[in-house]
Amino acid sequence: EEEGDLAERFLQLEREQSALLQALPPFGDPVSHVYHPLDYAWEPHCDFVRRYCRTPKRVLFLGMNPGPFGMAQTGVPFGEAWHVREWLRVVGGVKKPPSEHPERPVLGLTCQRAEVS
């Protein structure tokens, strides 16, 4: 298997799963906004996967709280912007989501807030 094939297979699976999630009926009240970072933050997400998902690894996810200042900003799991940008060296453009909560703006890798969760 070519190096990088694993990352591309992983990204394809994510695209397929994301499409299935998007096809679900919308949430009702009290949910007013749903962010899909694999849509608007796809570029840094792909950079992360291509950098760090190149070879098989044993991984244990203990929890996945994307939080408004983590993955919701960067597209990287557990991805507080400073760590994604400075420690992981992930790059890529982040677009605005179609519906953005006024108290939770998406600033991408320039976000200065820390994820407290």
Side-chain angles (χ1 to χ4, degrees):
E1 183 170 311
E2 295 273 324
E3 190 171 300
D5 286 351
L6 181 62
E8 295 310 315
R9 284 193 359 242
F10 188 78
L11 290 168
Q12 180 59 39
L13 287 170
E14 287 185 309
R15 281 190 289 270
E16 292 168 9
Q17 293 297 308
S18 185
L20 292 172
L21 287 172
Q22 297 270 4
L24 292 174
F27 291 99
D29 286 336
V31 176
S32 62
H33 294 77
V34 176
Y35 285 4
H36 297 281
L38 293 189
D39 290 335
Y40 63 81
W42 184 245
E43 284 184 24
H45 180 76
C46 287
D47 187 44
F48 169 75
V49 169
R50 288 179 179 134
R51 284 175 187 260
Y52 299 106
C53 298
R54 300 176 63 81
T55 59
K57 296 168 179 59
R58 290 178 59 118
V59 177
L60 172 64
F61 283 110
L62 297 175
M64 182 64 95
N65 178 356
F69 306 110
M71 186 172 180
Q73 297 291 330
T74 65
V76 174
F78 308 102
E80 183 176 68
W82 186 91
H83 289 96
V84 169
R85 186 181 62 246
E86 302 298 327
W87 189 60
L88 296 174
R89 301 287 184 208
V90 167
V91 297
V94 176
K95 302 172 191 162
K96 289 288 189 180
S99 176
E100 189 175 52
H101 191 286
E103 294 179 19
R104 299 290 185 258
V106 172
L107 304 172
L109 296 175
T110 64
C111 180
Q112 298 298 308
R113 301 253 334 238
E115 182 57 64
V116 295
S117 60

